Amino acid sequence: MSGMIHLLNEYGYITLFLSLMLELILIPIPNEALLSYVGVLSFHGKLNIVFCLLAAEAGAICGVTISYWIGYKLGAPFFRKFGHYIHMGPEKLDRLSKWYEHYGKVLLIFSYFIPGIRHVASIISGVIRLPFRYFSIFSYIGVFLWTGTFISLGYLLGPEWDKYQGIIKKWLVLACIVIGVLVLCYIVFKANKKYIKESALLLFQSVFKRYKSFVKIKLFIFLILVLFVSLFTLMVGMIQDFLSDEFDPFDTVSRTIIFSLFNSNWRGIMSAFLFFSSWAAFVAIGLITVAVILVNNTNKWLEMLFLALTLSGSFLFSGAIHWLFRFMLSGKYIVSDFPNEQSLILIVFYGLLLMMLIRHQKNYFSGAVLFFVFLSFLLAYSVCGVYIAHINPSDLMAGYVFGAVWISGMILSLELFRLVSLIKENLKNSIVKNN
């Protein structure tokens, strides 16, 4: 990067033009930093910002255009044979080609903000024979937004760029993640548009037109929805308190109460109780939950699917949360165990078992007893975690809340799927009966 800055200081607009052009012909150059530095130089009057924008955009347009025609002329057979040398083997090519056939026009606009994607976006467009008029419109818009954003940021921040570039980079990465999630949701919706519309219509009719049908299920879904919204609100509040470093009084008071109520005589029992958060215990609880689903034999394949998604997804959810906190708060003193991973996973595994036990209970008293036992279990684990494992009470409670948000959201999805399947079955039986 220092070499590029030296060339930029010496040759200015020519260096900017060539670096943008070469990067977009599969030569990795960290041009976000370069574009921002160009903006800083423009602020100090060493370069003209208008000429910088024109040089950057012209270089990028030349680069993407050349890449497009390289892909167009060489075609898919060439990249299937030699693409693995530039990390574009047959599997990656097929996957990217399918995406670009369906969503290429929109993806081209945002792809230039994502390192690794912008380098191949134009070539893929050529390989799949995306019409050049469409390619030029959307890719040139993306190039304009990309170059303009970073040059403008460097110009606006001026000498403060070094101070804020880390923060800006983090928020841009976060914005790209959000955009990626939205794009993924759009892809899922488009792939299942007919099913989603049909299910939404059936749910609407069931709620607002057939008041007396499936009353118990609707009530259960409503309660789960209220629980999910309440827990999500609590989770957001806990994140705000965590960022404001407002948990110290809560941690101090909680530790004082626990260490005043229990002494070293409890250590053996508490250490043994922590076994419930071990991998062996989680595996056992997962198998017991599978057995409960099979014994109940009600929508068992649907429940098995959601069991797998909920349990595996809890690890991904926990990992993503911790990565996000570390990434966004790097350089600050933060507690790396917020939210506590073990308590998050624990409430998901045991909470899902509780739900499967209660869901098919006809005796409400038994369900209430099971729920009370579950709350007592969580309280006991909290005491043991703080006393033996020295977990911060706030981290442990955050683990419970984050895990509860995940599991309540998954249960809500499960019950909606179950209601849709029941409505469809009921309609089918009505049609058969009428005929």
Side-chain angles (χ1 to χ4, degrees):
M1 183 62 193
S2 59
M4 290 297 301
I5 289 175
H6 174 73
L7 290 173
L8 187 63
N9 290 326
E10 289 291 326
Y11 302 104
Y13 308 114
I14 296 175
T15 301
L16 182 59
F17 175 89
L18 292 175
S19 66
L20 269 294
M21 183 180 72
L22 292 174
E23 183 194 3
L24 295 172
I25 310 177
L26 287 174
I27 297 177
I29 299 173
N31 273 322
E32 283 91 350
L34 188 70
L35 290 168
S36 303
Y37 183 67
V38 166
V40 175
L41 291 178
S42 301
F43 175 84
H44 289 293
K46 296 180 180 179
L47 293 172
N48 183 285
I49 190 169
V50 175
F51 291 156
C52 287
L53 288 168
L54 291 174
E57 288 160 12
I61 286 172
C62 286
V64 299
T65 305
I66 293 170
S67 293
Y68 171 86
W69 288 112
I70 288 174
Y72 192 94
K73 295 298 182 181
L74 294 179
F78 175 85
F79 286 97
R80 292 187 188 280
K81 188 174 181 179
F82 302 105
H84 60 277
Y85 292 111
I86 54 173
H87 306 291
M88 284 183 61
E91 292 182 1
K92 186 174 183 179
L93 183 66
D94 289 339
R95 185 169 64 252
L96 290 174
S97 296
K98 288 179 181 178
W99 283 12
Y100 273 82
E101 283 175 2
H102 292 91
Y103 316 107
K105 298 173 187 177
V106 177
L107 288 176
L108 275 172
I109 296 177
F110 301 104
S111 62
Y112 298 100
F113 288 88
I114 308 172
I117 298 297
R118 64 171 170 263
H119 302 95
V120 299
S122 303
I123 287 182
I124 294 296
S125 299
V127 169
I128 67 172
R129 299 294 199 268
L130 182 69
F132 183 73
R133 61 181 181 277
Y134 293 125
F135 167 80
S136 58
I137 291 171
F138 290 95
S139 64
Y140 294 174
I141 290 173
V143 160
F144 174 80
L145 293 174
W146 174 53
T147 57
T149 296
F150 283 96
I151 291 177
S152 299
L153 284 172
Y155 183 81
L156 292 172
L157 293 174
E160 304 243 321
W161 171 250
D162 289 336
K163 180 179 177 182
Y164 293 107
Q165 65 171 327
I167 298 173
I168 292 171
K169 182 179 179 181
K170 290 175 183 178
W171 283 105
L172 284 174
V173 170
L174 185 61
C176 289
I177 293 172
V178 172
I179 291 171
V181 171
L182 292 176
V183 170
L184 179 62
C185 292
Y186 173 76
I187 292 172
V188 171
F189 173 79
K190 191 165 184 179
N192 301 275
K193 181 166 61 176
K194 183 178 179 181
Y195 175 80
I196 292 173
K197 285 185 175 180
E198 182 182 280
S199 299
L201 179 61
L202 288 174
L203 287 172
F204 176 82
Q205 291 176 341
S206 174
V207 172
F208 295 102
K209 292 187 177 181
R210 298 188 179 98
Y211 296 100
K212 296 182 181 180
S213 60
F214 311 115
V215 175
K216 291 183 179 179
I217 298 177
K218 293 176 188 176
L219 178 62
F220 185 70
I221 290 175
F222 176 75
L223 293 175
I224 293 296
L225 177 61
V226 171
L227 179 64
F228 173 76
V229 172
S230 302
L231 288 169
F232 187 84
T233 304
L234 178 59
M235 181 180 75
V236 173
M238 293 189 79
I239 293 174
Q240 291 175 338
D241 291 341
F242 168 66
L243 297 176
S244 304
D245 198 21
E246 296 180 0
F247 278 126
D248 283 343
F250 173 78
D251 290 337
T252 302
V253 172
S254 300
R255 284 198 194 92
T256 302
I257 293 173
I258 290 173
F259 281 91
S260 63
L261 291 176
F262 301 94
N263 53 39
S264 57
N265 295 329
W266 290 87
R267 184 171 292 274
I269 298 174
M270 288 184 176
S271 298
F273 196 85
L274 290 178
F275 168 78
F276 288 108
S277 63
S278 66
W279 281 104
F282 289 154
V283 171
I285 291 300
L287 293 175
I288 293 172
T289 307
V290 170
V292 170
I293 292 173
L294 295 177
V295 169
N296 286 327
N297 199 26
T298 304
N299 300 117
K300 62 180 180 181
W301 295 118
L302 180 62
E303 291 186 354
M304 290 288 284
L305 174 62
F306 270 83
L307 171 67
L309 291 174
T310 303
L311 298 186
S312 60
S314 64
F315 294 101
L316 296 175
F317 178 67
S318 176
I321 289 294
H322 286 99
W323 175 86
L324 185 61
F325 280 137
R326 285 195 297 271
F327 179 76
M328 296 300 295
L329 302 175
S330 61
K332 297 181 180 180
Y333 173 75
I334 62 168
V335 179
S336 59
D337 198 33
F338 179 93
N340 178 256
E341 184 175 18
Q342 288 299 104
S343 60
L344 190 156
I345 302 299
L346 179 135
I347 197 170
V348 171
F349 272 73
Y350 289 89
L352 192 57
L353 173 60
L354 173 71
M355 185 268 176
M356 292 303 174
L357 289 172
I358 292 179
R359 180 63 181 78
H360 303 290
Q361 278 279 348
K362 295 182 179 180
N363 189 327
Y364 295 117
F365 178 76
S366 299
V369 170
L370 286 172
F371 187 71
F372 177 77
V373 170
F374 177 67
L375 293 180
S376 302
F377 169 76
L378 294 181
L379 179 61
Y381 178 79
S382 302
V383 172
C384 297
V386 173
Y387 193 92
I388 300 296
H390 304 291
I391 304 172
N392 281 335
S394 58
D395 297 341
L396 199 147
M397 293 303 298
Y400 284 163
V401 172
F402 279 67
V405 168
W406 173 256
I407 191 173
S408 60
M410 293 302 293
I411 291 173
L412 179 63
S413 302
L414 169 62
E415 292 305 318
L416 288 173
F417 270 95
R418 196 198 306 272
L419 178 57
V420 168
S421 64
L422 287 173
I423 294 171
K424 288 182 177 180
E425 185 179 348
N426 189 48
L427 288 173
K428 184 178 179 181
N429 292 335
S430 298
I431 292 171
V432 172
K433 189 176 180 179
N434 292 332
N435 291 336

